[in-house]
Amino acid sequence: MQTLVTGGGGFIGSHLADFLLDETGDSILLLDDFSTGQRDNVAHLVDQDRVELIEGDVTDDETVTELVTHSDRVFHLAAAVGVQRIVDQPLQSMRTNLVGTENVLDAAAEDGTPVFLASSSELYGKSEDVPFAESDDRILGPTSALRWSYASAKAIDESLALAYHRDRDLPVAVGRYFNIVGPRQTGQYGMVIPTFVEQALDDKPLTVYGDGTQTRSFTHVADAVEATYELLTTPAAHGEVVNIGAPEPTTINALAERVVELTNSNSEITHVPYEEAYDEDFEEPQQREPDVSKLEATLGWHPSTDLDRILEDIIDERTEAVVAE
Ligand code: UDP
């Protein structure tokens, strides 16, 4: 079986590649343009016989068609992600997220190749009606607040996937990721946990945005990868959108305190107004928590948050990196 992972050099994509290597006999094609993916993420994979790394862009129709045509299944994880990046590079981000997905779905529909499409809890927007179920209404801000361009693009991606399923019988499963975290995630695009861990290890102030009472439901990447694989390989999930997350929210204040404790850091915790952190039009979901009943009904399990395990994995990785330098 030949499996294509777009965004295979990325944070989740590289963990999925590890999983496929360990748990299946697949030959694995990894497509990445390394715009946000890191070469280090796949350095341990490129020498494996069963892995081939292709440097290319998902917006390049020819490359995508060629790879999808030679694959038996596709995990489409390539996307421009991270609030900071979306706000800084809205046009490029939207093109990657819209054109890339259409290229993958269109090529897969030729032979009915099964696809997993990575989507995001960002789609629920500013709704405060937690926990969020897949069939809930979405509440997004104005188009002038650039952050929402990501939710809009991913919503079109989802609608496209469902349309390909209905009109072309494409076996496609959509997973909405909720704040997936773990080793290899970079803080470069604003992700909170790697940012806090790096600040704490450097004894620099932890930058909590807003008043820190906002919540997020963090999910270990190992659980997210397993759910991703199972959704693609479970026919009942085809044509469905399913939340992937752990239903246990944490406030950002509590997260910052725990990071300081676990790193034995001397860092202070500071609060930074949103307009200073991003820009004046910035808007932010106050709460985010998945309803996992559909995931549970489809796969028979759902991830649970063990925040300390997540933080310890990341702290260990960052500490080892410093020792190795
Ligand atoms: N955040 C923070 N300090 C940072 C980076 C992020 O307080 O240095 C907050 C951010 O405002 C949000 C939460 O942490 O409330 C999660 O942010 P992230 O960008 O990781 O993911 P999001 O849920 O916003 O997509």
Side-chain angles (χ1 to χ4, degrees), residues 209-285:
Y209 297 162
D211 67 3
T213 58
Q214 69 271 34
T215 64
R216 292 293 182 271
S217 303
F218 296 103
T219 304
H220 198 293
V221 65
D223 290 342
V225 157
E226 208 171 319
T228 297
Y229 179 77
E230 290 185 17
L231 285 175
L232 178 61
T233 51
T234 301
H238 296 165
E240 298 292 335
V241 176
V242 185
N243 288 336
I244 299 180
E248 295 139 53
T250 309
T251 67
I252 301 305
N253 282 331
L255 172 70
E257 283 163 22
R258 197 64 190 137
V259 170
V260 169
E261 278 165 17
L262 289 177
T263 50
N264 293 316
S265 172
N266 296 317
S267 293
E268 286 171 25
I269 296 174
T270 54
H271 288 85
V272 180
Y274 286 120
E275 23 334 331
E276 238 172 76
Y278 298 103
D279 66 33
E280 7 182 287
D281 290 332
F282 189 76
E283 295 184 295
E284 146 126 321

Side-chain angles (χ1 to χ4, degrees), residues 82-84 120-122 147 150 178-181 185 187 189-196 199 206-210 212-218 252-253 255-256 270-272 274 277-278 282-286 288:
V83 174
Q84 193 66 57
S120 169
S121 56
E122 181 79 6
R147 141 170 225 148
Y150 177 63
F178 278 71
N179 292 80
I180 311 302
V181 289
Q185 188 176 37
Y189 304 107
M191 310 302 196
V192 68
I193 291 189
T195 302
F196 281 1
Q199 289 168 336
L206 269 64
T207 51
V208 172
Y209 297 162
T213 58
Q214 69 271 34
T215 64
R216 292 293 182 271
S217 303
F218 296 103
I252 301 305
N253 282 331
L255 172 70
T270 54
H271 288 85
V272 180
Y274 286 120
Y278 298 103
F282 189 76
E283 295 184 295
E284 146 126 321
Q286 180 63 19
R288 194 181 273 164

